[in-house]
Each structure stands twice: as C-alpha cells, then as structure tokens.
Amino acid sequence: GATGSDAFCYLQVATDLARRGSAAHTFPLASLLWQNGLPSWPAVPVGYHPPDPTGRAVTVWPLGWPVMLAGLVRLGGEGLALWGAPLCALLAAWLTWRLASELDSDSGRRSGSPMVGALAAAILLTSREGALRSLVPMADAAAQALSVAVMLCLWRGRQHDWLVWSALAGLLFAWAYWVRHPLLP
C-alpha cells in the first residue's frame, strides 16, 4: 500500500474479470516497446508485474477482493464497484454487532444486550482507519468482514458443537486470506 496502487489495481482487475474473464490487463504501449526491443517495464503502472511480450500483466495484489468486486462491476459497472468497500464496512459492523451480542448473552443473561453490540459496531464504524479505507476500493473492509464472520462462526461452533460452523469458519478464513492476508493477524 505504500505506492497507493492497490485501490487502482483492485478496481482494474475487477473490471478485467467482469468484462474479459481474465485477471491480466493488456498494456498496448508495453507490447509496442517489447516489439521494438525497448524495456517494457516503464509502460506498466505501479502494482503490476512485468508484462509478457503481448503486453499482458497481472497485479501484485491478491485476487480475492477483485473477484468480489467483479460481481458489482457486472451488475452496475465501476460506479457500483466503488460501493463494495462501504458495503463491506457495514457488513463488518453488523457482524460485529452479532458477535458482541452473542458473546454478551453468554455472560449469564438469557439474551445479549443490544447495546453491547451497538457499541461494538459504533466503535468499528467510527474508527478513523476503517472509515478512510472504506472510501476507496481497498480490500481492508472485506477482510475485516470476513475475519469477524470467522470469529462468529467459531463462536457458534463452540456453542452448538456443530462441525458445520467450524468448516464454514475455515472457508471464510481461506477467503479472507485470499482477500488480504496481511490484515488477518
């Protein structure tokens, strides 16, 4: 993220996936440079691997988030895809509310206090980093929503002793890893 290319690359890959079914993007200038024996690397934006002779290059960023955004691109174009991160932030807040409410209900009361969940969701939604990362198509909010979903599934698996919850937690953790692995710890 130090180069600031991730948001651009995520959206470009999502668009390429939705429109061409490929995560590779073609840079025509890179192909022209390659054909003329010139270095093609300067013609590729930051955040992409060096191109092949046809000018095709893939991003250095994980593909999980662009795969999620590709569905929004298909439904409503790039404009709708820009709503992906805010929607994931709201989903993360709702999942946080659910998790906090369930954890609170385990403290001896019959049902959890909705205020505990609301406070947890409010803290999440008003976090400076969380708000900033959801204004652009960054993968942070999606990884956050998936990570909270993992914890909720593990909690439910522990409470109900159902293997299905643990298996779902494993699948969600794998998806979260594919979206943005550095955020998981």
Side-chain angles (χ1 to χ4, degrees):
T3 62
S5 69
D6 36 355
F8 160 77
C9 292
Y10 289 138
L11 192 55
Q12 183 62 60
V13 172
T15 302
D16 289 335
L17 283 169
R19 295 188 180 150
R20 289 183 274 291
S22 172
H25 186 74
T26 302
F27 297 96
L29 182 58
S31 174
L32 182 65
L33 291 171
W34 188 285
Q35 291 168 5
N36 289 302
L38 297 169
S40 59
W41 179 243
V44 177
V46 174
Y48 278 85
H49 287 287
D52 64 17
T54 65
R56 291 171 44 98
V58 294
T59 185
V60 299
W61 301 106
L63 292 180
W65 179 231
V67 166
M68 293 171 73
L69 287 177
L72 294 175
V73 171
R74 281 191 185 134
L75 286 174
E78 291 179 32
L80 184 59
L82 293 174
W83 284 94
L87 291 172
C88 284
L90 291 173
L91 177 61
W94 180 78
L95 289 167
T96 300
W97 174 79
R98 294 285 312 160
L99 179 61
S101 296
E102 288 193 23
L103 289 172
D104 186 51
S105 70
D106 195 50
S107 65
R109 287 186 285 241
R110 184 178 180 111
S111 64
S113 167
M115 290 304 293
V116 171
L119 178 61
I123 289 170
L124 184 71
L125 287 174
T126 58
S127 156
R128 185 175 191 275
E129 279 299 309
L132 288 175
R133 301 276 185 220
S134 65
L135 296 176
V136 292
M138 296 286 285
D140 301 57
Q144 184 177 51
L146 289 165
S147 298
V148 175
V150 167
M151 290 186 276
L152 182 59
C153 288
L154 289 174
W155 177 255
R156 286 187 174 177
R158 181 178 172 266
Q159 293 299 100
H160 302 291
D161 197 25
W162 289 343
L163 183 60
V164 173
W165 285 113
S166 297
L168 182 58
L171 290 172
L172 289 169
F173 190 75
W175 190 274
Y177 183 85
W178 197 38
V179 165
R180 187 129 169 93
H181 60 273
L183 293 182
L184 296 185

